[in-house]
Amino acid sequence: MTEAHGGYYVPHHASPWPIVGSLGLFFLLGGFAHVLHGGTSVFMIIGAVLVAAMIYGWFSIVVRESEGGKYDGQVDMSFRWGMSWFIFSEVMFFAAFFGALFYARMFSVPWLGGASNNVSTHELLWPAFEAAWPTNGPAAVGGDFATMGAWGIPAINTLILLTSGVTVTWAHWALKKENRQQLILGLAATVALGVLFLGLQVYEYGHAYRDLNLTLGSGIYGTTFFMLTGFHGMHVTIGAIMLAVILMRSIRGHFTAKNHFAFEAVAWYWHFVDVVWLGLFIFVYWLV
Amino acid sequence: MSEATANGAHHEEHARGISRWLFTTNHKDIGTLYLWFSFVMLLIGGAMAMYIRAELWEPGIQLSDPNFFNQMTTLHGLIMVFGAVMPAFVGLANWQVPMMIGAPDMALPRMNNWSFWILPFAGLLLVSTIFMEGGGPNFGWTMHAPLSTTYAPPSTDFFIFAVHLLGLSSIMGSINIIATILNMRAPGMTLMKMPMFVWSWLITAFLLIAVMPVLAGAVTMMLTDRNFGTSFFDAAGGGDPLLFQHVFWFFGHPEVYIMILPAFGVISQIIPTFARKPLFGYSSMVYATASIAFLSFIVWAHHMYTTGMPVSGELYFMYATVMIAVPTGVKVFNWVATMWKGSMTFETPMLWALGFLVLFTIGGFTGLMLGVAPADFQYHDTYFVVAHFHYVLVSGALFAIIAGVFYWLPKWTGNMYDEKLAKIHFWWAMISFNVLFFPQHFLGLAGMPRRIPDYALQFTEWNVISSIGGFAFGASWLLFLYIIIKTIRGGEKATDEVWEGADGLEWTVPSPAPYHTFNTAPEVK
């Protein structure tokens, strides 16, 4: 099946998973657009199944190869570079949405109120609008709403995520000391904290929609609030799933003190999600 | 420089038939796939350009309605940028980077396959929008809100996901290229010994990873504004249509360097070979490339001078923009200095490289003119802009791709191309290109707006000339296809070194390059 090249592992006759993944993404995204236009969801579901199968099948092969000792230090380094740059791309993805928030707060809202060289825009278009944050704009899109306070659930969620950063590090120490029990305990605690975070965020969203009339459609405040926290929540979900996989692998006895790139990759990802949350807590919840 | 050590070992035969191409992890196979995909997209995007030039043959509406014309300009731009130019450079990188640094393959071979195979599906999704109800995207390749949100056809949602897929492919391809360059170099191949093409791709891959996610963010905001009631680009809700332009051009300006830096890399390989001298000022070339990449992040709003931004903003973006001329000038002077007192010959790759050098420099100068804010008020959204970016993207990026293809084709196929036909093709393309685009400078300065299917009578003559050049330039690519197929099928056998003045690891392996090269790393002194 495969052949090593002077140590570096290059799989020949690769698995069918990349092409299955391409087909799956095509159906998933094309199918989603189809649903948005009132069509059937069959294509989207086919796509989701294909993508899930691809992820499972592809990672199974990689895990088998890793546990089978096919990867040397150089392959390990390729994975490390790969994961680092992937996380950097995610940082830039978040930067686009943070940029939108800062632009709205620094420029577009003050300009609608007549700041800088926009006096006549203000007078002609929205003379009654007074620039302030939070806002749902001069047309009060979505109606009156209340903002989400920082020192309730968001502060608790901050503590939860920071604690989960500690537990995952504690698990990493255990792995390096070959203490399997502490490793499993640390990872289980991290997954539990991640799930708790998500549960509280779901509760917070319910509260916003039910009691505060704060929705995705509440002008630029609701837009940036839900886009940023929702995109982050999606990443916490992905991170928690990844942690759960690592937990199961740890229970099955995978990883050694020296060879555990997958663990570290997931830990990096988790810390990244954690740091993004701190930015969210400060700029979305706290400094309103 | 080094010896080929790779080729004595036994080689596993590749799979036969379609499964070879569907499941391959081989960087050479994947490079070939990228290059052919790119050529097909060049023909599709080119057909759309032919439609545009036919419509502009004379004033009035000739062929179809203005909405369809807008779809053609939009898709022509998107297909050429994301379907033709970018995949072609990734194809060149796939073929050449491992061979140039002495690596057995790309760092992440399976992901390499995936990066490619997403592309045809994304292309399918993109092109299929033309056939949907309400037509395809008609808001220009820059997709500015609210044209792309409030006033866009329903197919825009499919278009958005096509852009997501294209971005995913680019990001994965770039991660792979960076990991390969940083981790797979042969012993002794230090960073400052790497060929310029490899350097240019290292920096380009960084740019891609930094800005493709920003584009994904921009189109995601488009998607939610269109479907989920958000107000990113809606002033009534406190957002701003200009926010789209800022986010888009934060991606868009690095994007134009993503398309030109690898071209610089190709030219920096070819000119030394045919001047039979090492590249002049190698380290200054590296630093110039890095400087251009850095500056690309802080100049984006020069695309937005006429949007009414504060004067202080215009001044800043103007000064930052014209600064790019300094590192670009360093490169142009270095290429000229490389040729100074060289023993030059003018085989086809060199002709394309020289064509690049002259015409890209013209495009660079018109870029400087556009970078000056008060002058841009006059040129903005006219055919002058169209002429400018076709000089940098066609006679810049595309000419460099063709130069690279002829330069490395003997190494890939083992056969020399037909030099006489290739030279005919070069001169045909070179002359018709200038007939096509040079008059557009005059049209733009005289005030003809871009993206309009009709025009005032006084613009007729230059448009007719431009269209004649367009049809001739379009037809030249059929000759190119013939030359390529002829070379693949046979021809004079190429030597290992191929070119007398060639230097670098790729010329130490046999022609055609074996399926696997450098299974054992070469020694680089």
Side-chain angles (χ1 to χ4, degrees):
Chain A
M1 261 310 261
T2 50
E3 185 186 353
H5 287 295
Y8 198 87
Y9 179 76
V10 179
H12 296 172
H13 312 309
S15 62
W17 294 118
I19 193 84
V20 171
S22 302
L23 204 62
L25 284 174
F26 178 73
F27 274 101
L28 179 65
L29 295 179
F32 183 36
H34 192 59
V35 170
L36 287 177
H37 293 208
T40 166
S41 56
V42 171
F43 300 114
M44 191 172 87
I45 292 166
I46 292 173
V49 170
L50 284 176
V51 169
M54 178 271 290
I55 293 173
Y56 183 82
W58 194 332
F59 275 106
S60 300
I61 294 176
V62 174
V63 168
R64 254 200 314 279
E65 287 174 354
S66 172
E67 291 298 311
K70 297 210 181 213
Y71 300 157
D72 62 2
Q74 199 182 10
V75 177
D76 193 64
M77 191 51 85
S78 290
F79 288 157
R80 281 164 196 277
W81 279 123
M83 190 67 192
S84 311
W85 288 105
F86 168 67
I87 289 176
F88 175 62
S89 79
E90 292 269 51
V91 169
M92 294 307 291
F93 208 156
F94 271 102
F97 297 122
F98 270 105
L101 173 69
F102 297 147
Y103 184 85
R105 292 185 65 164
M106 300 287 296
F107 298 115
S108 71
V109 171
W111 286 354
L112 284 168
S116 183
N117 57 354
N118 298 281
V119 180
S120 44
T121 310
H122 174 66
E123 286 302 321
L124 286 168
L125 288 179
W126 317 99
F129 179 66
E130 281 180 43
W133 187 264
T135 179
N136 53 358
V141 173
D144 284 343
F145 66 94
T147 57
M148 188 63 68
W151 300 108
I153 289 175
I156 296 169
N157 264 348
T158 307
L159 277 178
I160 289 172
L161 273 195
L162 287 176
T163 313
S164 75
V166 173
T167 53
V168 79
T169 305
W170 189 62
H172 193 199
W173 288 348
L175 181 50
K176 284 194 186 165
K177 289 184 307 200
E178 303 272 18
N179 184 341
R180 186 65 48 169
Q181 204 184 356
Q182 186 187 325
L183 165 66
I184 292 168
L185 202 62
L187 276 174
T190 315
V191 174
L193 288 166
V195 173
L196 183 60
F197 173 93
L198 286 170
L200 285 172
Q201 196 168 16
V202 168
Y203 175 81
E204 182 195 73
Y205 276 19
H207 173 58
Y209 266 77
R210 265 195 326 271
D211 308 327
L212 305 178
N213 191 33
L214 173 59
T215 70
L216 191 58
S218 295
I220 193 66
Y221 177 80
T223 294
T224 49
F225 176 86
F226 281 105
M227 196 69 164
L228 277 162
T229 56
F231 197 56
H232 175 263
M234 193 181 93
H235 281 77
V236 176
T237 311
I238 295 167
I241 292 170
M242 282 157 56
L243 280 166
V245 171
I246 294 301
L247 171 62
M248 285 194 302
R249 290 186 62 191
S250 300
I251 293 170
R252 286 191 192 177
H254 291 193
F255 308 126
T256 63
K258 285 214 166 122
N259 189 8
H260 54 261
F261 161 73
F263 179 98
E264 287 188 37
V266 174
W268 294 346
Y269 193 81
W270 194 250
H271 289 308
F272 149 70
V273 169
D274 202 355
V275 170
V276 170
W277 174 260
L278 293 179
L280 284 179
F281 181 71
I282 294 169
F283 294 109
V284 175
Y285 290 100
W286 187 10
L287 301 179
V288 176
Chain B
M1 195 167 171
S2 68
E3 311 176 289
T5 52
N7 311 298
H10 93 281
H11 288 296
E12 207 171 347
E13 262 304 302
H14 48 70
R16 298 262 164 221
I18 185 77
S19 66
R20 169 180 175 186
W21 301 104
L22 284 178
F23 304 141
T24 184
T25 49
N26 180 280
H27 71 102
K28 299 184 183 81
D29 281 353
I30 293 171
T32 304
L33 286 169
Y34 267 110
L35 289 167
W36 276 112
F37 173 79
S38 147
F39 188 70
V40 170
M41 294 311 263
L42 182 80
L43 294 185
I44 295 174
M48 292 171 175
M50 294 301 100
Y51 173 90
I52 293 167
R53 283 322 314 170
E55 175 59 57
L56 294 172
W57 178 260
E58 57 184 22
I61 302 297
Q62 268 68 246
L63 299 174
S64 180
D65 60 309
N67 185 35
F68 188 70
F69 182 85
N70 285 345
Q71 293 172 41
M72 288 297 102
T73 54
T74 303
L75 286 166
H76 165 73
L78 288 162
I79 286 174
M80 289 307 199
V81 168
F82 293 105
V85 172
M86 288 167 66
F89 278 126
V90 182
L92 291 179
N94 253 293
W95 257 101
Q96 292 309 127
V97 167
M99 286 207 287
M100 288 174 131
I101 63 174
D105 207 298
M106 297 290 280
L108 304 160
R110 285 194 189 101
M111 195 172 80
N112 202 16
N113 175 302
W114 202 24
S115 309
F116 170 75
W117 276 107
I118 286 177
L119 278 182
F121 291 99
L124 188 67
L125 205 54
L126 182 62
V127 173
S128 71
T129 56
I130 308 177
F131 306 103
M132 292 179 187
E133 211 181 315
N138 53 7
F139 30 73
W141 86 278
T142 54
M143 39 182 135
H144 286 175
L147 293 176
S148 58
T149 52
T150 316
Y151 303 107
S155 65
T156 305
D157 296 317
F158 291 89
F159 155 83
I160 287 169
F161 289 127
V163 173
H164 275 127
L165 286 178
L166 291 164
L168 194 61
S169 159
S170 287
I171 291 168
M172 289 197 295
S174 304
I175 288 175
N176 216 337
I177 289 170
I178 290 201
T180 305
I181 296 173
L182 292 180
N183 191 39
M184 302 287 285
R185 298 193 309 280
M189 177 67 78
T190 57
L191 284 176
M192 292 309 275
K193 275 189 194 165
M194 292 194 310
M196 262 322 284
F197 179 69
V198 180
W199 254 114
S200 70
W201 247 113
L202 178 64
I203 292 167
T204 301
F206 167 74
L207 289 180
L208 274 163
I209 299 173
V211 300
M212 291 309 288
V214 176
L215 175 67
V219 295
T220 304
M221 291 187 246
M222 249 166 79
L223 182 79
T224 58
D225 266 20
R226 288 171 53 79
N227 295 292
F228 303 109
T230 57
S231 304
F232 285 111
F233 310 131
D234 179 11
D240 189 348
L242 277 187
L243 169 61
F244 181 87
Q245 296 194 24
H246 280 291
V247 181
F248 178 84
W249 285 113
F250 185 84
F251 146 80
H253 202 75
E255 168 68 18
V256 304
Y257 294 132
I258 285 161
M259 292 188 282
I260 205 64
L261 293 185
F264 290 169
V266 172
I267 300 304
S268 301
Q269 299 301 127
I270 292 174
I271 288 182
T273 298
F274 295 98
R276 291 168 181 76
K277 276 177 65 195
L279 184 66
F280 184 88
Y282 170 88
S283 52
S284 68
M285 286 300 227
V286 172
Y287 300 136
T289 309
S291 310
I292 293 171
F294 169 73
L295 289 171
S296 75
F297 284 104
I298 56 170
V299 297
W300 75 90
H302 65 216
H303 296 271
M304 302 168 57
Y305 285 144
T306 59
T307 58
M309 68 170 127
V311 173
S312 53
E314 289 184 349
L315 283 172
Y316 160 73
F317 281 108
M318 177 170 80
Y319 291 134
T321 299
V322 295
M323 267 188 353
I324 299 173
V326 177
T328 312
V330 167
K331 299 193 82 82
V332 171
F333 283 118
N334 279 349
W335 288 321
V336 174
T338 304
M339 291 186 284
W340 180 256
K341 291 187 174 172
S343 311
M344 298 202 357
T345 50
F346 299 93
E347 289 88 341
T348 306
M350 185 62 163
L351 289 179
W352 284 100
L354 293 175
F356 167 96
L357 193 53
V358 174
L359 299 182
F360 171 79
T361 305
I362 293 175
F365 279 132
T366 53
L368 268 179
M369 292 168 71
L370 289 161
V372 177
D376 180 72
F377 291 170
Q378 171 68 21
Y379 312 142
H380 198 92
D381 264 345
T382 67
Y383 260 84
F384 190 79
V385 180
V386 177
H388 156 70
F389 68 70
H390 282 91
Y391 266 80
V392 287
L393 282 181
V394 181
S395 61
L398 182 65
F399 274 30
I401 291 165
I402 304 307
V405 166
F406 279 114
Y407 185 55
W408 285 309
L409 196 59
K411 180 55 67 187
W412 301 339
T413 62
N415 303 320
M416 294 305 287
Y417 56 85
D418 185 330
E419 187 72 53
K420 195 168 149 204
L421 273 184
K423 279 188 169 148
I424 291 171
H425 171 244
F426 168 75
W427 285 110
W428 180 354
M430 177 80 179
I431 292 167
S432 59
F433 168 84
N434 282 290
V435 175
L436 163 57
F437 286 113
F438 210 78
Q440 295 184 5
H441 291 113
F442 310 143
L443 287 167
L445 292 177
M448 179 169 161
R450 64 191 283 211
R451 292 171 170 158
I452 307 282
D454 192 3
Y455 52 81
L457 292 177
Q458 70 267 27
F459 300 134
T460 310
E461 282 80 1
W462 286 125
N463 268 300
V464 169
I465 292 170
S466 180
S467 287
I468 291 171
F471 301 139
F473 189 65
S476 76
W477 298 100
L478 300 176
L479 176 58
F480 174 75
L481 177 64
Y482 173 74
I483 296 168
I484 299 295
I485 290 173
K486 191 165 175 240
T487 314
I488 293 171
R489 293 170 71 102
E492 190 196 328
K493 292 292 158 220
T495 60
D496 290 359
E497 201 189 14
V498 182
W499 312 108
E500 189 190 53
D503 184 33
L505 289 175
E506 79 261 45
W507 309 111
T508 64
V509 300
S511 301
Y515 198 56
H516 299 292
T517 37
F518 300 122
N519 287 357
T520 315
E523 196 74 35
V524 181
K525 289 180 201 105

